């Protein structure tokens, strides 16, 4: 068994990482940050969860993750499962944003707009288009470059520029554009460490393989698709909370602030406004006027609604969620066993690293299969007030774990 330790360097939320190392003995300017920035769950920026990154994006918290002393142990292999970087909203969410924008425009044109609505109308213009559809943004590329550099500082012999250029490192990715762009950015970060490639350098030859069987296993697991994805009852706790007292309170307060009619502002549009705040912070480092519509209580409720969905759809809520990641689990530990196998001096050294880039939907089932951050009492629509500070929130804001042997 590999001991599981607490995460050291946050690799989510907008890009997440699960790391295993097999060890054998022988200044950034600080933007105006919304007061609710820490409630964005898997959409939280690295630097909002770990403020030291605001001062130095390459700093590593070595008090939490410190490789063993080299005189006692030497790392021979690293496997990293990483979520893609910050991205544009998906086409589905952009359509919701378009409906929200139309609602604001229509409300203002009726002449009954309050000061909140007038503020939105004057300070914000709809700029999202459906062709953006979840593509990686520049901030997301920077996230992955910086992550690569931080990891290469911790494991310089494994994540070296030479190993990248000689293609000794395996890079696997989901077929989604944001994941392919993320794995390219990660390689750029490793080359930047040695003074090599720059972002968008046409001379860089990226080396990666697309493998949806591993990185999008959830699409191929019949038990998961039938038991959760296409099962209307699988997310009943989410639906109950979505239409329950707490969410209704958030909707009512937002309706009053915007002077909108009750029936026009649906729970989905309330959530779209909340996500707008997170998207514009992660994409443009912008304190969006949408952020001012929510106080801390509203943000906690909306975060919990999102957490509930992740729990029941991707995490510990259903056993099949974790089991669906078995192909990836076995792939990882086969690599670790191979790297740790005794070999003759004449045999080639093991592959130094394997970097796999996927989605939150890739990470969460895998972390659940490993039994990480599991609370004794599952979150439900009825126990919102008992769930603050739980392991679920750690799971959805860290999305990383480190182990060694």
């Amino acid at each position: 068994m590999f001991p599981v330790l607490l995460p050291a360097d946050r690799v989510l939320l907008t890009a997440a990482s699960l790391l295993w190392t097999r060890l054998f003995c022988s200044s950034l300017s600080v933007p105006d940050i919304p007061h609710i920035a820490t409630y964005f769950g898997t959409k939280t920026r690295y630097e909002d969860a770990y403020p030291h990154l605001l001062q130095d994006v390459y700093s590593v918290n070595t008090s939490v993750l410190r490789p063993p002393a080299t005189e006692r142990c030497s790392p021979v292999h690293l496997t990293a499962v990483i979520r893609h970087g910050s991205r544009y909203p998906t086409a589905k969410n952009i359509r919701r944003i378009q409906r929200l924008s139309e609602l604001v425009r229509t409300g203002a044109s009726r002449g009954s707009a309050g000061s909140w609505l007038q503020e939105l109308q004057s300070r914000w213009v709809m700029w999202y288009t459906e062709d953006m559809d979840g593509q990686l943004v520049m901030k997301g590329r920077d996230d992955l470059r910086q992550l690569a550099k931080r990891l290469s500082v911790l494991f310089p012999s494994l994540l070296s520029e030479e190993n990248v250029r000689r293609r000794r490192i395996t890079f696997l990715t989901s077929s989604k554009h944001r994941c392919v762009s993320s794995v390219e950015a990660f390689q750029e970060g490793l080359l930047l460490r040695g003074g090599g490639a720059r972002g968008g350098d046409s001379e860089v030859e990226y080396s990666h393989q697309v493998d949806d069987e591993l990185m999008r296993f959830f699409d191929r697991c019949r038990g998961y698709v039938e038991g959760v994805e296409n099962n209307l009852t699988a997310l009943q706790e989410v639906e109950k909370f979505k239409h329950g007292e707490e969410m209704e309170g958030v909707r009512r307060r937002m309706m009053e602030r915007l002077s909108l009619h009750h029936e026009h502002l649906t729970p989905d549009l309330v959530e779209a406004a909340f996500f707008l705040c997170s998207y514009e912070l992660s994409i443009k480092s912008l304190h969006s006027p949408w952020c001012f519509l929510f106080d801390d209580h509203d943000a906690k409720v909306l975060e919990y609604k999102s957490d509930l969905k992740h729990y029941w759809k991707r995490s510990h809520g259903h056993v099949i969620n974790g089991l669906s990641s078995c192909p990836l689990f076995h792939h990882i530990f086969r690599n670790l066993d191979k790297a740790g196998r005794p070999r003759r001096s004449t045999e080639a050294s093991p592959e130094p690293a394997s970097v796999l880039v996927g989605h939150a939907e890739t990470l969460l089932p895998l972390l659940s299969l490993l039994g990480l951050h599991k609370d004794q009492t599952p979150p439900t629509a009825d126990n919102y007030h008992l769930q603050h500070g739980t392991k679920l929130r750690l799971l959805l804001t860290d999305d990383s774990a480190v182990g060694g042997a």
Side-chain angles (χ1 to χ4, degrees):
M1 293 291 291
F2 292 89
V4 178
L5 311 177
L6 290 177
D9 185 16
R10 182 176 178 279
V11 189
L12 176 91
L13 306 233
T14 49
S17 171
L18 180 60
L19 304 175
W20 288 273
T21 57
R22 187 79 178 198
L23 307 172
F24 298 94
C25 300
S26 63
S27 275
L28 292 178
S29 60
V30 179
D32 182 17
I33 300 173
H35 65 289
I36 59 174
T38 58
Y39 299 115
F40 294 148
T42 59
K43 293 179 175 61
T44 304
R45 302 185 309 168
Y46 291 172
E47 52 268 39
D48 295 322
Y50 291 85
H52 68 277
L53 293 176
L54 287 169
Q55 305 303 321
D56 181 2
V57 294
Y58 301 122
S59 64
V60 176
N61 188 353
T62 54
S63 66
V64 180
L65 177 60
R66 182 179 299 160
T70 55
E71 65 270 15
R72 294 188 294 108
C73 298
S74 298
V76 298
H77 176 82
L78 177 143
T79 289
V81 183
I82 303 171
R83 186 190 175 190
H84 60 75
S86 300
R87 58 169 175 82
Y88 288 112
T90 60
K92 178 181 177 180
N93 281 327
I94 289 173
R95 287 191 289 272
R96 287 180 177 175
I97 294 170
Q98 287 171 337
R99 293 200 299 272
L100 183 65
S101 175
E102 179 65 20
L103 188 62
V104 168
R105 189 191 64 79
T106 303
S109 66
R110 288 174 176 167
S112 59
S115 60
W116 293 80
L117 195 57
Q118 291 173 347
E119 182 79 0
L120 279 173
Q121 185 74 357
S122 63
R123 290 185 54 195
W124 187 83
V125 176
M126 175 64 185
W127 60 275
Y128 300 92
T129 56
E130 287 191 40
D131 59 352
M132 293 174 175
D133 193 20
Q135 294 191 52
L136 198 71
V137 299
M138 185 55 65
K139 176 65 167 64
R141 296 194 74 95
D142 289 341
D143 287 341
L144 270 293
R145 293 187 192 111
Q146 292 158 9
L147 170 62
K149 292 188 72 172
R150 289 196 294 270
L151 291 177
S152 68
V153 169
L154 287 171
F155 303 102
S157 63
L158 303 180
L159 297 173
S160 66
E161 180 182 358
E162 180 183 7
N163 282 341
V164 178
R165 293 196 180 278
R166 291 181 178 272
R167 300 195 175 186
R168 294 170 179 161
I169 299 174
T170 296
F171 294 96
L172 298 181
T173 176
S174 151
S175 61
K176 291 292 184 179
H177 189 278
R178 54 188 173 272
C179 293
V180 174
S181 297
S182 292
V183 81
E184 291 176 352
F186 191 92
Q187 292 177 67
E188 288 172 5
L190 295 180
L191 295 173
L192 276 166
R193 180 172 177 262
R198 298 289 165 185
D201 190 336
S202 60
E203 296 181 2
V204 177
E205 293 185 12
Y206 300 112
S207 172
H208 63 260
Q209 303 169 42
V210 171
D211 193 335
D212 281 341
E213 188 171 333
L214 285 181
M215 306 314 296
R216 293 184 61 85
F217 51 76
F218 43 87
D219 288 335
R220 289 167 162 73
C221 178
R222 181 177 176 182
Y224 172 77
V225 172
E226 293 180 356
V228 178
E229 185 72 35
N230 296 336
N231 182 357
L232 296 178
T233 65
L235 302 184
Q236 59 184 354
E237 293 296 333
V238 183
E239 288 301 308
K240 284 172 62 179
F241 189 79
K242 179 179 176 179
H243 299 286
E245 179 183 347
E246 295 295 341
M247 278 291 291
E248 176 60 22
V250 176
R251 189 174 77 95
R252 185 176 62 253
R253 286 187 290 275
M254 183 174 169
M255 176 191 68
E256 291 170 354
R257 288 162 184 159
L258 293 178
S259 302
L260 295 173
H261 290 293
H262 180 275
E263 67 274 11
H264 294 157
L265 192 62
T266 66
D268 285 340
L269 293 187
V270 171
E271 193 170 41
F274 183 63
F275 286 157
L276 261 175
C277 177
S278 69
Y279 283 129
E280 305 208 332
L281 179 63
S282 63
I283 294 171
K284 295 184 172 183
S285 294
L286 177 68
H287 190 156
S288 172
W290 291 98
C291 303
F292 295 100
L293 289 174
F294 306 99
D295 58 26
D296 281 0
H297 175 73
D298 297 332
K300 288 178 181 178
V301 171
L302 288 162
E303 180 191 39
Y304 185 72
K305 189 268 178 184
S306 181
D307 288 355
L308 266 184
K309 182 177 179 180
H310 284 302
Y311 180 88
W312 291 101
K313 190 173 184 179
R314 301 294 180 186
S315 186
H316 296 296
H318 303 286
V319 174
I320 190 62
N321 294 348
L323 292 178
S324 67
S325 69
C326 280
L328 180 57
F329 175 90
H330 288 300
H331 172 86
I332 290 167
F333 282 92
R334 275 196 299 267
N335 279 353
L336 292 172
D337 288 340
K338 183 178 179 180
R341 194 175 301 146
R343 50 180 39 83
R344 297 185 181 91
S345 59
T346 55
E347 291 183 295
S349 299
E351 176 185 61
S354 177
V355 178
L356 298 81
V357 179
H359 309 263
E361 295 87 347
T362 309
L363 264 292
L364 291 175
L366 184 58
L367 292 168
S368 299
L369 186 64
L370 291 170
L372 299 180
H373 302 307
K374 185 176 182 179
D375 291 296
Q376 289 186 346
T377 303
T380 67
D382 301 321
N383 64 3
Y384 161 73
H385 294 287
L386 303 176
Q387 291 294 325
H388 300 299
T390 61
K391 294 177 182 178
L392 170 65
R393 194 168 191 269
L394 286 174
L395 174 65
L396 296 173
T397 54
D398 286 333
D399 263 354
S400 63
V402 178

